Amino acid sequence: MDFLQLLVRDGALLNGHFVFLKGQHAPRYTNKTVAFVRGSSVDAFAMAIVDQFEDEHIETLVAPELGAISLMAHVQSHFLRRGQDVDAIIATKVREFHPDPAIAALGYSKPTKKFEISRDQPRFVEGRRILMVEDVFSTGSSIQEALEPVRACGGLPVAAAVLMNQGDITAESIGIARVHALIHDPVEQWFEGCPLCERRIPINTKVGKGKEFLLTDKAKQLGLTAAD
Protein backbone atom coordinates (compact mmCIF):
# COMPACT_ATOMS: atom_id res chain seq x y z
CA MET A 1 0.00 0.00 0.00
CA ASP A 2 1.21 3.51 -0.83
CA PHE A 3 0.97 5.21 2.56
CA LEU A 4 2.34 8.48 1.19
CA GLN A 5 -0.60 8.68 -1.19
CA LEU A 6 -2.96 8.12 1.74
CA LEU A 7 -1.52 11.22 3.42
CA VAL A 8 -1.91 13.19 0.19
CA ARG A 9 -5.50 11.98 -0.23
CA ASP A 10 -6.39 12.91 3.32
CA GLY A 11 -4.81 16.38 3.02
CA ALA A 12 -2.15 15.60 5.63
CA LEU A 13 0.87 16.39 3.46
CA LEU A 14 1.33 20.14 3.07
CA ASN A 15 3.72 22.25 1.00
CA GLY A 16 4.86 25.78 1.79
CA HIS A 17 7.06 27.36 4.47
CA PHE A 18 6.83 25.73 7.90
CA VAL A 19 8.52 26.03 11.28
CA PHE A 20 8.91 22.75 13.18
CA LEU A 21 8.82 22.17 16.92
CA LYS A 22 12.59 22.44 17.37
CA GLY A 23 12.75 25.67 15.36
CA GLN A 24 13.93 24.33 12.02
CA HIS A 25 12.28 25.47 8.79
CA ALA A 26 11.11 23.16 6.00
CA PRO A 27 9.18 23.28 2.72
CA ARG A 28 6.88 20.40 3.64
CA TYR A 29 4.88 19.47 6.71
CA THR A 30 3.09 16.30 7.75
CA ASN A 31 -0.09 17.32 9.55
CA LYS A 32 -0.16 14.54 12.13
CA THR A 33 -3.59 15.46 13.44
CA VAL A 34 -5.20 15.08 10.01
CA ALA A 35 -3.19 11.91 9.29
CA PHE A 36 -5.07 10.03 12.01
CA VAL A 37 -8.59 11.39 11.44
CA ARG A 38 -9.81 8.93 8.80
CA GLY A 39 -10.42 5.53 10.35
CA SER A 40 -9.48 3.50 7.28
CA SER A 41 -6.12 5.27 7.00
CA VAL A 42 -5.01 4.90 10.61
CA ASP A 43 -6.24 1.31 10.58
CA ALA A 44 -4.05 0.59 7.55
CA PHE A 45 -1.04 2.24 9.23
CA ALA A 46 -1.54 0.17 12.39
CA MET A 47 -2.00 -3.10 10.52
CA ALA A 48 1.25 -2.55 8.63
CA ILE A 49 3.13 -1.92 11.87
CA VAL A 50 1.79 -5.11 13.46
CA ASP A 51 2.71 -7.05 10.30
CA GLN A 52 6.31 -6.09 11.03
CA PHE A 53 6.34 -6.88 14.74
CA GLU A 54 3.85 -9.68 15.42
CA ASP A 55 6.70 -12.20 15.82
CA GLU A 56 8.83 -9.96 18.06
CA HIS A 57 7.05 -10.93 21.31
CA ILE A 58 6.11 -7.33 22.06
CA GLU A 59 4.61 -6.93 25.52
CA THR A 60 4.07 -3.18 25.87
CA LEU A 61 3.62 -0.25 23.49
CA VAL A 62 4.86 3.20 24.49
CA ALA A 63 3.99 6.43 22.68
CA PRO A 64 5.14 9.95 23.57
CA GLU A 65 2.26 12.37 23.96
CA LEU A 66 0.29 13.57 22.09
CA GLY A 67 0.38 12.84 18.38
CA ALA A 68 1.05 9.10 18.39
CA ILE A 69 -1.58 8.10 20.96
CA SER A 70 -4.28 7.41 18.36
CA LEU A 71 -1.91 5.35 16.23
CA MET A 72 -0.78 3.36 19.29
CA ALA A 73 -4.40 2.54 20.17
CA HIS A 74 -4.99 1.11 16.71
CA VAL A 75 -1.74 -0.86 16.86
CA GLN A 76 -2.82 -2.32 20.20
CA SER A 77 -6.16 -3.32 18.68
CA HIS A 78 -4.49 -5.11 15.77
CA PHE A 79 -2.19 -7.00 18.11
CA LEU A 80 -5.27 -8.12 20.06
CA ARG A 81 -6.99 -9.34 16.89
CA ARG A 82 -4.00 -11.60 16.37
CA GLY A 83 -4.21 -13.02 19.87
CA GLN A 84 -1.54 -10.79 21.46
CA ASP A 85 -2.87 -8.81 24.41
CA VAL A 86 -0.22 -6.09 24.64
CA ASP A 87 -0.37 -3.16 27.06
CA ALA A 88 -0.18 0.47 25.94
CA ILE A 89 1.49 3.26 27.92
CA ILE A 90 1.70 7.01 27.29
CA ALA A 91 4.97 8.76 28.05
CA THR A 92 3.80 12.14 29.31
CA LYS A 93 5.78 15.36 29.31
CA VAL A 94 7.09 16.60 32.63
CA ARG A 95 5.45 19.92 33.39
CA GLU A 96 7.28 22.92 34.79
CA PHE A 97 5.52 25.21 37.25
CA HIS A 98 6.03 28.95 37.31
CA PRO A 99 8.89 30.01 39.64
CA ASP A 100 6.61 32.54 41.36
CA PRO A 101 4.68 30.51 44.01
CA ALA A 102 1.66 32.81 43.75
CA ILE A 103 1.39 32.26 40.00
CA ALA A 104 2.12 28.55 40.34
CA ALA A 105 -0.73 28.31 42.86
CA LEU A 106 -3.08 29.42 40.09
CA GLY A 107 -2.18 26.25 38.19
CA TYR A 108 0.21 27.75 35.65
CA SER A 109 2.53 25.17 34.13
CA LYS A 110 4.07 24.31 30.78
CA PRO A 111 5.46 21.07 29.33
CA THR A 112 9.22 20.58 29.26
CA LYS A 113 11.26 18.48 26.84
CA LYS A 114 11.46 15.61 29.32
CA PHE A 115 9.10 12.63 29.49
CA GLU A 116 8.03 10.44 32.37
CA ILE A 117 6.18 7.17 32.91
CA SER A 118 3.87 8.35 35.63
CA ARG A 119 1.47 7.05 38.27
CA ASP A 120 1.15 3.25 38.32
CA GLN A 121 2.40 2.67 34.79
CA PRO A 122 6.05 1.64 35.43
CA ARG A 123 4.95 -1.89 36.38
CA PHE A 124 3.72 -2.37 32.79
CA VAL A 125 7.17 -1.41 31.50
CA GLU A 126 9.68 -3.06 33.85
CA GLY A 127 11.32 -6.12 32.31
CA ARG A 128 9.07 -6.02 29.26
CA ARG A 129 9.82 -5.95 25.55
CA ILE A 130 8.81 -2.49 24.37
CA LEU A 131 7.76 -1.21 20.96
CA MET A 132 7.94 2.57 20.76
CA VAL A 133 5.25 4.09 18.53
CA GLU A 134 5.67 7.55 17.02
CA ASP A 135 3.93 9.62 14.37
CA VAL A 136 6.72 11.59 12.65
CA PHE A 137 10.51 11.67 12.95
CA SER A 138 12.01 15.08 12.18
CA THR A 139 15.07 15.24 14.43
CA GLY A 140 14.36 12.07 16.44
CA SER A 141 14.69 13.97 19.70
CA SER A 142 11.19 13.20 21.01
CA ILE A 143 11.64 9.45 20.72
CA GLN A 144 15.09 9.70 22.30
CA GLU A 145 13.63 11.65 25.21
CA ALA A 146 10.77 9.16 25.59
CA LEU A 147 13.22 6.25 25.65
CA GLU A 148 14.91 7.65 28.77
CA PRO A 149 12.02 6.98 31.22
CA VAL A 150 11.32 3.63 29.54
CA ARG A 151 14.85 2.49 30.32
CA ALA A 152 14.72 4.11 33.75
CA CYS A 153 11.68 1.93 34.51
CA GLY A 154 13.58 -1.19 33.44
CA GLY A 155 11.90 -1.53 30.05
CA LEU A 156 13.58 -3.34 27.16
CA PRO A 157 13.06 -1.27 23.99
CA VAL A 158 13.03 -3.60 20.99
CA ALA A 159 12.32 -1.12 18.18
CA ALA A 160 10.57 2.07 17.15
CA ALA A 161 7.74 2.15 14.62
CA VAL A 162 6.92 5.48 12.97
CA LEU A 163 4.46 6.61 10.33
CA MET A 164 6.74 9.13 8.62
CA ASN A 165 10.52 9.41 8.80
CA GLN A 166 11.09 12.85 7.28
CA GLY A 167 14.39 13.44 9.07
CA ASP A 168 16.29 10.42 7.69
CA ILE A 169 16.63 9.24 11.31
CA THR A 170 18.51 5.97 11.82
CA ALA A 171 18.24 3.44 14.63
CA GLU A 172 21.83 4.21 15.64
CA SER A 173 21.15 7.95 15.93
CA ILE A 174 18.37 7.45 18.49
CA GLY A 175 20.01 4.55 20.31
CA ILE A 176 17.69 1.67 19.50
CA ALA A 177 18.21 -1.60 17.65
CA ARG A 178 15.64 -1.10 14.91
CA VAL A 179 13.51 1.61 13.30
CA HIS A 180 10.65 0.75 10.98
CA ALA A 181 9.07 3.65 9.05
CA LEU A 182 5.95 3.17 6.95
CA ILE A 183 7.09 6.18 4.91
CA HIS A 184 10.73 7.17 4.50
CA ASP A 185 10.65 10.53 2.76
CA PRO A 186 13.35 12.94 4.02
CA VAL A 187 12.60 16.65 3.75
CA GLU A 188 15.18 19.42 3.77
CA GLN A 189 15.32 21.26 7.10
CA TRP A 190 17.21 24.42 8.01
CA PHE A 191 18.03 25.72 11.47
CA GLU A 192 20.03 28.56 9.90
CA GLY A 193 20.23 30.00 6.41
CA CYS A 194 16.68 29.08 5.42
CA PRO A 195 16.30 29.81 1.67
CA LEU A 196 12.54 30.18 2.13
CA CYS A 197 13.15 33.03 4.57
CA GLU A 198 15.65 34.60 2.18
CA ARG A 199 13.00 34.54 -0.56
CA ARG A 200 10.44 36.00 1.88
CA ILE A 201 8.07 33.05 1.42
CA PRO A 202 5.10 33.58 3.80
CA ILE A 203 5.03 31.39 6.90
CA ASN A 204 2.26 28.85 7.50
CA THR A 205 0.79 29.72 10.92
CA LYS A 206 -1.95 27.07 11.00
CA VAL A 207 0.38 24.18 11.81
CA GLY A 208 3.75 23.90 13.49
CA LYS A 209 5.37 26.87 15.23
CA GLY A 210 5.02 29.47 12.50
CA LYS A 211 2.82 31.77 14.57
CA GLU A 212 5.42 31.94 17.34
CA PHE A 213 8.25 32.47 14.85
CA LEU A 214 6.55 35.51 13.33
CA LEU A 215 6.75 37.18 16.75
CA THR A 216 10.56 36.96 16.79
CA ASP A 217 12.90 39.81 15.93
CA LYS A 218 14.41 37.71 13.14
CA ALA A 219 11.06 37.32 11.38
CA LYS A 220 10.30 41.03 11.80
CA GLN A 221 13.70 42.02 10.42
CA LEU A 222 13.14 39.86 7.36
CA GLY A 223 9.66 41.26 6.88
CA LEU A 224 8.07 37.82 6.86
CA THR A 225 4.30 37.50 6.87
CA ALA A 226 1.73 34.77 7.46
CA ALA A 227 0.55 32.66 4.56
CA ASP A 228 -3.09 32.96 3.57
Side-chain angles (χ1 to χ4, degrees), residues 162-180:
V162 61
L163 169 61
M164 165 75 85
N165 186 349
Q166 63 185 20
D168 202 21
I169 305 303
T170 64
E172 291 78 15
S173 68
I174 61 174
I176 201 167
R178 179 185 173 194
V179 164
H180 177 71

Side-chain angles (χ1 to χ4, degrees), residues 11-80:
L13 202 63
L14 308 176
N15 294 300
H17 185 181
F18 304 93
V19 182
F20 289 177
L21 179 63
K22 303 298 181 182
Q24 72 273 40
H25 292 217
R28 193 172 71 244
Y29 187 90
T30 303
N31 191 337
K32 299 167 283 190
T33 302
V34 172
F36 301 132
V37 167
R38 182 169 292 187
S40 59
S41 296
V42 68
D43 192 68
F45 302 149
M47 184 185 300
I49 289 172
V50 176
D51 285 344
Q52 288 293 318
F53 294 100
E54 64 177 333
D55 296 326
E56 296 290 337
H57 307 290
I58 301 300
E59 296 171 283
T60 299
L61 308 172
V62 176
E65 65 168 288
L66 284 169
I69 294 174
S70 174
L71 178 59
M72 180 175 68
H74 281 77
V75 170
Q76 183 185 37
S77 177
H78 272 283
F79 268 117
L80 187 59

